[in-house]
Every structure is written in structure tokens, then in C-alpha cells.
Amino acid sequence: MKTAVYPGSFDPITLGHLNIIERSAAVFDKLYVCVMINSDKKPMFTREERMDMIRDAVEAAGLKNVEVETAGGLLVEYAKSKNANAIVRGLRAVSDFDWEFQMALANKCIAPDIETVFLASSEKFTYLSSTIVKEMARYGADLQGFVPANVIDKIMQKV
Ligand code: ADP
């Protein structure tokens, strides 16, 4: 059985994230979406809120082999605890590459058996990030087409 972990901040989940989740769920038997703590980012949503939004979006998308969890600590330790073969990351632009490459190499050193798999962002979502969505919401922009339907109200309540 091939198992993967898709880690991220998901603050909040966007259609770009959901696209990566759907495509990974088609490739792997089991996918764990893991809300991680990123100490560089000050989140808008609690980890529970982020997990709930991802779960609702995953359910609405009809994905049966996806579970949503959260973890502190090292990503590879979480991946090992799930017997995962792979870590999935999305690549949007060249700007993502440096950091993602460093992380993939570091994780490979710690856990040589776990591969990092990069999925190229769908062209529709290349420009899309949680940060941009939050900025748009602050200025009252229509978020349809950027985040799953269940997320729109949740963001509007925060801004
Ligand atoms: P992190 O803090 O770990 O970067 P993010 O929630 O910002 O968490 O992103 C999680 C993962 O999803 C990263 O691999 C990121 O590159 C990817 N990602 C984010 N937005 C998109 C998008 N629009 N298309 C494809 N991948 C994306």
C-alpha cells in the first residue's frame, strides 16, 4: 500500500491545495493531509479550524482515501508514524523551488526511505496562495473560484 503525507499550513485551504489533494489521492492508496505548525507564519485560523475546513472540502470532493490530521515536531517523524512512502508538496513557481528543494534534501537525510514528490500546480492556481486569499478577503473581493465553498464564510467572519 502506497501512503503519502501532504503537509502544510493550509491557513486556509485554497482550491490550489485541494487540486493537489485530489491528484495525490488518485496516485496514492492513502493520503494524510497534515496541518503543521510553521513558526514563520502567524495564522488566521486555529489548527482545529483549519482541519475542519479541509475535512469539509475533502468530503464535498468525495475523496474517501484522505484523512486530515495535525502534528507538531518533525514532519518525517509524523510521516514515519503513518508508514508513509512519500511526502507530497506542490510547486507553483520558481520562487517555491529553493525552499522546497532544501526541505526535500534535509528530509531525505533524516529519512532516506521517504521520497518527496512534487506536483506542479495546475495552471489555473499557479498564482494562488492562502496569503493572497486573505488579502483579497480584507478588501472584500469575491472569493469564489479561489477557495472551496465551505471556506468563504469562515474567512469573511475573520476579516
Ligand atoms: P507551507 O507553510 O508548508 O508552505 P502552505 O499551506 O502555504 O504551507 O502550502 C502547503 C503546500 O501546498 C506547499 O507545498 C505549497 O507549495 C503547496 N501549495 C500552496 N498553494 C498551492 C497552489 N496554488 N498550487 C499548488 N500547490 C500549492
Side-chain angles (χ1 to χ4, degrees):
M1 170 149 144
K2 298 288 180 205
T3 301
V5 169
Y6 177 34
S9 306
F10 306 106
D11 185 46
I13 182 172
T14 68
L15 290 182
H17 292 126
L18 188 59
N19 178 257
I20 299 289
I21 293 172
E22 287 175 322
R23 289 160 58 201
S24 311
V27 172
F28 293 95
D29 301 304
K30 180 90 192 177
L31 180 72
Y32 290 93
V33 179
C34 187
V35 175
M36 306 289 297
I37 301 169
N38 182 336
S39 46
D40 290 339
K41 296 183 180 174
K42 197 177 169 297
M44 172 181 269
F45 294 96
T46 66
R47 281 199 277 169
E48 288 299 329
E49 287 171 326
R50 284 179 264 164
M51 282 194 289
D52 284 346
M53 286 185 280
I54 302 169
R55 282 194 188 111
D56 288 346
V58 162
E59 199 186 320
L63 302 172
K64 303 280 185 233
N65 60 339
V66 178
E67 266 186 59
V68 183
E69 298 192 340
T70 183
L74 271 182
L75 169 62
V76 289
E77 293 304 330
Y78 171 76
K80 278 186 201 166
S81 76
K82 296 290 159 193
N83 286 323
N85 318 88
I87 293 166
V88 172
R89 296 287 288 176
L91 274 186
R92 282 162 295 189
V94 192
S95 51
D96 278 342
F97 183 78
D98 257 1
W99 171 244
E100 294 292 341
F101 193 57
Q102 275 182 46
M103 264 205 322
L105 289 181
N107 286 335
K108 189 80 179 160
C109 279
I110 312 170
D113 295 341
I114 302 178
E115 295 293 346
T116 299
V117 175
F118 293 111
L119 293 188
S121 168
S122 154
E123 67 208 340
K124 277 191 292 188
F125 304 126
T126 307
Y127 59 88
L128 193 53
S129 68
S130 302
T131 306
I132 283 180
V133 163
K134 285 179 279 191
E135 200 58 16
M136 286 169 64
R138 284 185 190 107
Y139 291 102
D142 182 2
L143 297 183
Q144 226 174 0
F146 300 105
V147 293
N150 63 294
V151 173
I152 296 179
D153 280 354
K154 302 272 166 39
I155 303 184
M156 287 334 226
Q157 283 160 21
K158 290 272 181 183
V159 295

